[in-house]
Each structure stands twice: as structure tokens, then as C-alpha cells.
Amino acid sequence: ADAEFEVCYDGKQAVSRFSEQPEGYYDAILMDIQMPEMDGYEAARRIRQSSHPDAKTITIIAVTANAFQEDLDRALAAGMNDAVTKPLDVAALIDKISRIEKGEQI
């Protein structure tokens, strides 16, 4: 399957870009945790609290260098669906996004 990506350089830009697009434009958001301007936790919270039609349902996956349970807990508390660690295992990431979008428990 083909995939297209848009890169944002900080959390503020990610929130802005998401907010500007029409409903259904994005399938998922990979949210780096450590970014300038606004970290991934705050960006995810702002997306979830926004009035955008997809705000409550868009799949948001934290991307982090840390694999500790506390990092996953913080990501979930910020409104993300799950987390993956760097370096990314692309096949596992695609599987995870697919399972989230099907409503499966992870």
C-alpha cells in the first residue's frame, strides 16, 4: 500500500497543520515526543481538545526513544493511542496502526 507523509518540525506546527485540513485528510499522526516549541504530549492534548471533526478519533502514536511504561502512560494520558520506540520497525508500526483503526485492543 502506498503512503504519503507530511513532516512537521515542532508540535505547534503539527497542531496547526492538523487543524487546517478537512475531515478525513489524515489517517494517523506519528507524534515525536521531544520537539521544540511544543512537545508531543502537549500537541496531542491540543489536537484532542480541538473542534476539528477528527480530533477525538484520529490515531495518534507517540514516537519516543524511551521504552519505559511511564512514557507509554504519559502518552496515553495525553490522548495518544499507543507508542513506538526509535528506531522504528516499520512493519510493526503499520500493523499497530491497522489494529488501532480496526478497533482492536493493543
Side-chain angles (χ1 to χ4, degrees), residues 91-104:
L93 176 63
I94 291 169
D95 180 63
K96 188 171 289 225
I97 291 170
S98 175
R99 290 175 47 211
I100 289 170
E101 290 182 345
K102 290 178 186 172
E104 294 178 16

Side-chain angles (χ1 to χ4, degrees), residues 13-48:
Q13 186 182 41
V15 172
S16 176
R17 182 99 39 99
F18 173 78
S19 299
E20 293 168 355
Q21 298 304 329
E23 182 176 1
Y25 185 83
Y26 294 112
D27 294 317
I29 297 171
L30 301 181
M31 186 72 74
D32 198 348
I33 295 302
Q34 295 184 0
M35 295 184 286
E37 270 316 295
M38 179 188 300
D39 69 24
Y41 299 119
E42 182 62 22
R45 279 191 289 275
R46 290 192 185 192
I47 287 171
R48 292 293 188 216

Side-chain angles (χ1 to χ4, degrees), residues 21 23 26 40 56 58 60 67 69 84 90:
Q21 298 304 329
E23 182 176 1
Y26 294 112
K56 304 290 188 255
I58 185 83
I60 304 175
Q69 185 62 43
V84 295
V90 176

Side-chain angles (χ1 to χ4, degrees), residues 47-106:
I47 287 171
R48 292 293 188 216
Q49 294 167 358
S50 77
S51 61
H52 191 282
D54 295 329
K56 304 290 188 255
T57 58
I58 185 83
T59 298
I60 304 175
I61 298 179
V63 179
T64 181
N66 301 320
F68 301 111
Q69 185 62 43
E70 65 191 47
D71 298 302
L72 175 58
D73 292 345
R74 279 189 73 193
L76 296 175
M80 298 186 211
N81 299 89
D82 204 350
V84 295
T85 56
K86 299 175 193 175
L88 291 178
D89 176 339
V90 176
L93 176 63
I94 291 169
D95 180 63
K96 188 171 289 225
I97 291 170
S98 175
R99 290 175 47 211
I100 289 170
E101 290 182 345
K102 290 178 186 172
E104 294 178 16
Q105 276 297 74
I106 296 185

